[in-house]
Amino acid sequence: MFETKIRKYINYLGDAEYMADVVTSPGAVDSMIKFLQSNDREIINDTCFFIRDFVLSCSQNHTCRQSWESQLKSAIIPEIENLLFADNHFIRKDAVYTLGKICSYDSIPVMLNAFYQLRVRDPILLPRLIGELFWLGINNSWDIIDSMAVSDRYTTRWAVVDVLGKFGCNSPNDEDFLRAHKLCDRLRRDAHRLVREEAEYNYQYLELQRRKHQENMSKAEYRQQRKELKKISTFLPFGNIISQFGHYMYEYNLHTYTIEELERFIKKIKIV
């Protein structure tokens, strides 16, 4: 049974011959399309997991590469793109990760469309979605971040801070660094305390990065400064909200949520 082959792939991780056998099975394309259209999160997750590994194996296995280019790619990618608009948050997450992982550059317009639809509705997905869009090399990438920073919902603005916290400093004159630094400076004056607190920490971290480069700070001094900065980090990170609320949804078998539900959950969390 084809479904069994997909589900059992976990026992054959990275086995190109097993994957080639799966995709050359009779009705493989139609079966995978059926799974992706099923609205069943488990089988969709298993199928996306298989597809990610399968596409990555194409560079090493001729049968896999031929099957992907001749049959699967044109049939499967539109189905994964459709999942970006599923009602189920976890299915959307699988779709975002899969399109990024398989380097589906042609999916950028659809992913952008999904971003603008989910910008307020699913803020805990936004850092992942933005990360994959950046990975795929989206043009005018800062436009989408700026659009989040002016949202009426503090959860969307808070998601921006999480994204900005991932910026490093190759050079204090790097355009991305300067944009991140400026936006953190603005958000540390945000109307909402949780946004302000994490933005303040990220701003101070970026300041430290900038000083490290400009002042030729030694590694020992930089490590000491990082330790001092961590001592005052009493904020609640948005990344924790993503993780904890995801676990909450899983525990209570929830597949979607409202912003009001997310905000009530946040209010119950205490910073340790």
Side-chain angles (χ1 to χ4, degrees):
M1 189 176 181
F2 190 80
E3 182 175 343
T4 303
K5 289 185 177 181
I6 291 289
R7 291 192 182 278
K8 280 189 174 182
Y9 170 66
I10 190 69
N11 300 318
Y12 297 88
L13 291 178
D15 188 331
E17 290 187 7
Y18 182 86
M19 288 186 272
D21 178 65
V22 171
V23 299
T24 56
S25 300
V29 177
D30 290 341
S31 294
M32 277 196 265
I33 290 174
K34 179 182 177 182
F35 295 162
L36 293 171
Q37 293 177 346
S38 68
N39 204 35
D40 182 325
R41 199 268 162 151
E42 288 191 9
I43 188 59
I44 289 173
N45 178 262
D46 288 342
T47 305
C48 285
F49 178 53
F50 174 83
I51 290 169
R52 291 193 296 267
D53 273 19
F54 166 72
V55 174
L56 292 176
S57 76
C58 286
S59 62
Q60 302 173 348
N61 186 284
H62 175 72
T63 301
C64 291
R65 181 169 62 254
Q66 188 177 43
S67 296
W68 176 248
E69 295 295 339
S70 64
Q71 300 181 64
L72 288 166
K73 185 177 182 179
S74 61
I76 295 299
I77 286 183
E79 297 298 334
I80 300 174
E81 290 175 345
N82 288 338
L83 297 179
L84 294 169
F85 307 96
D87 291 334
N88 189 309
H89 160 81
F90 297 103
I91 291 176
R92 293 196 293 266
K93 185 177 178 181
D94 285 336
V96 168
Y97 181 49
T98 301
L99 291 171
K101 190 74 171 179
I102 66 176
C103 296
S104 184
Y105 301 108
D106 291 340
S107 297
I108 287 177
V110 183
M111 294 172 74
L112 267 177
N113 185 16
F115 165 80
Y116 285 110
Q117 291 194 35
L118 301 172
R119 181 173 42 179
V120 172
R121 187 158 58 94
D122 192 0
I124 64 172
L125 181 63
L126 296 179
R128 164 71 75 178
L129 179 52
I130 291 172
E132 299 301 348
L133 283 168
F134 270 57
W135 167 254
L136 292 173
I138 181 178
N139 294 323
N140 302 318
S141 53
W142 282 96
D143 289 349
I144 62 176
I145 294 180
D146 289 339
S147 75
M148 292 167 59
V150 296
S151 172
D152 292 337
R153 288 289 186 177
Y154 84 86
T155 45
T156 299
R157 301 195 304 276
W158 198 8
V160 175
V161 183
D162 182 82
V163 173
L164 296 178
K166 296 176 173 61
F167 277 88
C169 179
N170 295 320
S171 166
N173 296 317
D174 178 78
E175 183 180 355
D176 283 342
F177 177 84
L178 291 173
R179 294 287 295 264
H181 185 275
K182 183 178 180 180
L183 198 47
C184 274
D185 189 23
R186 180 173 130 198
L187 289 171
R188 69 189 182 127
R189 299 174 177 82
D190 193 84
H192 199 281
R193 177 180 60 86
L194 293 172
V195 180
R196 287 197 306 271
E197 289 176 347
E198 186 167 5
E200 177 66 35
Y201 177 83
N202 286 348
Y203 175 81
Q204 296 300 335
Y205 172 70
L206 291 174
E207 273 288 289
L208 177 58
Q209 296 265 63
R210 181 184 60 78
R211 289 195 293 111
K212 175 187 174 184
H213 284 261
Q214 291 183 342
E215 300 171 12
N216 198 24
M217 190 182 294
S218 69
K219 290 183 179 179
E221 184 181 357
Y222 176 72
R223 284 196 296 268
Q224 182 59 37
Q225 292 289 332
R226 281 294 306 272
K227 287 181 181 178
E228 293 300 319
L229 183 57
K230 286 182 179 180
K231 287 180 182 178
I232 62 172
S233 59
T234 58
F235 63 91
L236 175 63
F238 189 73
N240 284 17
I241 297 300
I242 294 174
S243 176
Q244 292 181 42
F245 192 67
H247 286 306
Y248 167 80
M249 291 179 68
Y250 185 81
E251 181 181 357
Y252 289 95
N253 197 29
L254 303 174
H255 68 268
T256 189
Y257 67 95
T258 65
I259 294 300
E260 290 73 23
E261 288 172 327
L262 175 61
E263 291 179 353
R264 284 196 297 269
F265 179 85
I266 293 170
K267 287 179 179 179
K268 294 178 181 179
I269 295 178
K270 295 182 178 180
I271 303 175
V272 179

